[in-house]
Amino acid sequence: MFAKINEIDRMFGAMDLLRTKMDRLFNEMDRPYLHGPTFTLGTNSPRTNLMENGDNFEVRAELPGISKDDISIKIQGNYLEISGKRTIESPEGYKAHRNERSATTFSRSFTLPDEVDVEKVDAALKDGILYLTLPKSEAAKPRLIAIN
């Protein structure tokens, strides 16, 4: 009888160890997204959504505290790169006692499913969100072909 209880005890010990490791794994996986700063994708990359709406791609990137003068957007064919920097300076005559918002640089690049018409791209920065509307090039749009 003692051998069976010992086996059951070992089984529950192994299950408890597995549960502990799984809890630790999921807690570490959620931490950057729930408790960390905005730039937590590894290399100070802003969180970005890329969507398609008919003839356009739409990009929304979180860029809090960054002015439009510090953002660079480059497009070549179907390649998009968003980069920039955030500088933090204390006002003149002030002494900083705590700096939790640090200066940083970032760069995100995407390969879009289709090429973009660079001449018609629209970009706006509002409330810390960068909005990009990227119209597809005419060559990328589907065409109806008449059969002779």
Side-chain angles (χ1 to χ4, degrees), residues 9-60:
D9 189 41
R10 247 187 302 141
M11 181 181 69
F12 281 120
M15 289 171 56
D16 188 45
L17 179 64
L18 175 64
R19 184 182 59 94
T20 301
K21 288 186 183 261
M22 293 296 286
D23 286 345
R24 189 179 309 138
L25 172 71
F26 287 114
N27 283 338
E28 289 174 2
M29 194 168 75
D30 289 341
R31 184 174 295 126
Y33 300 105
L34 298 177
H35 305 294
T38 301
F39 297 106
T40 57
L41 295 177
T43 59
N44 296 337
S45 299
R47 294 181 182 174
T48 307
N49 292 344
L50 171 62
M51 301 160 282
E52 185 174 353
N53 181 10
D55 292 338
N56 298 317
F57 294 109
E58 293 189 13
V59 176
R60 293 189 179 106

Side-chain angles (χ1 to χ4, degrees), residues 1 16-17 29 73 80 90 100 104 111 116 127 140:
M1 180 104 182
D16 188 45
L17 179 64
M29 194 168 75
I73 303 166
L80 167 66
S90 297
E100 292 182 354
T104 186
T111 301
V116 172
D127 298 330

Side-chain angles (χ1 to χ4, degrees), residues 88-104:
I88 304 297
E89 298 175 6
S90 297
E92 192 174 326
Y94 284 79
K95 177 182 175 185
H97 290 280
R98 182 179 206 97
N99 278 330
E100 292 182 354
R101 295 183 63 233
S102 62
T104 186

